[in-house]
Amino acid sequence: MPTPHYGQPRYRVIADQLRERIESGSIPPGSLLPTESALTSEFRASRGTVRQAIAVLREEGLVTTEHGRGTSTRPITLGHDSKQAAKSDNERFEIAADADIAKLFGVEIGTILIGQQQVHRRNGVVESVVRGYWLHRPGQ
Amino acid sequence: MPTPHYGQPRYRVIADQLRERIESGSIPPGSLLPTESALTSEFRASRGTVRQAIAVLREEGLVTTEHGRGTSTRPITLGHDSKQAAKSDNERFEIAADADIAKLFGVEIGTILIGQQQVHRRNGVVESVVRGYWLHRPGQ
DNA sequence: AGAAATTTGTCCGTATGTATC
DNA sequence: AGATACATACGGACAAATTTC
């Protein structure tokens, strides 16, 4: 079989479908995703492709993977309050756009955006903090 | 050949070496990294492993990759002037730590940090904004 | 303008190592 | 100890974007 990936690559299509299940609640927060081999059978894709799809969700912060255990969904913490102590080093939240951000996106100040904060540590010590912002559901 | 990855996996070792070259200036900002096939020969690793190593650097924001062109180290705009900053989608600046950030780093509020903002566009439209923060001269 | 070469992107199949149950 | 599941690594093949000639 050739490698036709008209439009979207397979791993993104698979990632989209899995994201759909997670966000629709079909796969509840905190529960395990199907195993890699199960997804391999279901989507008739190679394991590498399935793993690539899962990697997409992991980068988005939607799931976490534990060696030898599996990949599980993680709840999105909405209504983030800055004083709220973060339990995780990777959390999602909603936040109102400040002047800078609002101008960049071309929206009004205060528009609600999706934010994600990721804390990077080395030997337990915080090395850097990265925050990403984007609009709800940009055409992907 | 077996797959021994005692201690660190190969792709991380390769990533570490490449990072070293970038930070030492051996690969200057804005210049192209060796091609994947060149790295494959040099490190005697498979292309997949080399690509995984590059992916690490990409996640760290050290390099950017363009289809058909190559992977280049990110040009660092040591900018501080807002006029130049406004023109670029990638600017560095200094900023005082707010309560949130200060707590994460374990420093006092108001401590001066390095910040970097990167604007990601698709077809000219802002898709996301990423802000990173870290201390001056971390171990490295 | 266009063809060829270069380079990254995607996908497959397989094998082996390592962690968890 | 055995079964299950994720992590790493290899090699090959074709697709797509860019650069070069």
Side-chain angles (χ1 to χ4, degrees), chain A residues 47-61:
Chain A
R47 205 176 142 224
T49 302
V50 167
R51 282 175 58 78
Q52 223 172 337
I54 293 176
V56 170
L57 302 180
R58 194 163 40 230
E59 268 183 48
E60 293 175 356

Side-chain angles (χ1 to χ4, degrees), chain A:
Chain A
M1 190 131 58
T3 311
H5 44 92
Y6 312 114
Q8 283 214 323
R10 298 203 58 191
Y11 75 92
R12 286 209 176 274
V13 174
I14 295 174
D16 287 346
Q17 295 202 27
L18 292 177
R19 191 187 305 107
E20 185 87 11
R21 293 186 203 175
I22 294 170
E23 294 184 339
S24 72
S26 164
I27 302 177
S31 67
L32 286 169
L33 263 68
T35 67
E36 291 179 352
S37 66
L39 294 173
T40 295
S41 309
E42 178 180 348
F43 292 103
R44 305 209 181 200
S46 76
R47 205 176 142 224
T49 302
V50 167
R51 282 175 58 78
Q52 223 172 337
I54 293 176
V56 170
L57 302 180
R58 194 163 40 230
E59 268 183 48
E60 293 175 356
L62 277 178
V63 302
T64 57
T65 300
E66 285 170 273
H67 192 165
R69 186 168 173 278
T71 297
S72 53
T73 59
R74 205 168 44 182
I76 299 178
T77 65
L78 296 175
H80 177 261
D81 238 330
S82 55
K83 52 196 141 207
Q84 170 187 336
K87 280 177 288 191
S88 164
D89 275 353
N90 185 336
E91 56 171 331
R92 274 197 178 190
F93 47 87
E94 292 187 317
I95 191 171
D98 64 25
D100 254 6
I101 299 270
K103 184 175 182 183
L104 281 169
F105 282 103
V107 300
E108 289 192 6
I109 296 176
T111 300
I112 300 299
L113 305 173
I114 300 275
Q116 177 163 343
Q117 172 171 301
Q118 199 146 12
V119 179
H120 298 271
R121 298 172 192 269
R122 183 173 299 208
N123 302 327
V125 179
V126 175
E127 200 163 56
S128 66
V129 177
V130 179
R131 290 175 176 169
Y133 307 93
W134 57 91
L135 296 170
H136 279 86
R137 307 236 136 246
Q140 300 268 10

Side-chain angles (χ1 to χ4, degrees), chain B residues 11-119:
Chain B
Y11 74 93
R12 286 208 177 274
V13 174
I14 295 173
D16 288 344
Q17 296 201 28
L18 292 177
R19 190 186 307 105
E20 184 89 9
R21 293 187 203 175
I22 294 171
E23 294 183 339
S24 72
S26 165
I27 302 177
S31 67
L32 287 169
L33 263 68
T35 67
E36 292 178 354
S37 68
L39 294 173
T40 294
S41 308
E42 177 180 350
F43 292 104
R44 304 208 181 202
S46 73
R47 196 177 152 218
T49 301
V50 166
R51 283 176 59 79
Q52 219 171 340
I54 293 175
V56 169
L57 302 179
R58 194 163 39 230
E59 268 184 48
E60 293 174 354
L62 276 176
V63 301
T64 58
T65 301
E66 286 169 274
H67 190 170
R69 189 162 177 281
T71 296
S72 51
T73 57
R74 201 181 42 186
I76 300 177
T77 65
L78 287 165
H80 40 308
D81 289 328
S82 44
K83 50 181 161 189
Q84 188 199 348
K87 212 175 65 169
S88 168
D89 276 351
N90 184 336
E91 56 171 319
R92 275 192 186 189
F93 48 88
E94 291 190 321
I95 190 172
D98 63 22
D100 243 7
I101 297 275
K103 185 174 182 184
L104 280 169
F105 282 102
V107 299
E108 290 193 4
I109 295 176
T111 301
I112 301 299
L113 305 173
I114 302 271
Q116 176 157 348
Q117 172 171 299
Q118 197 147 13
V119 179

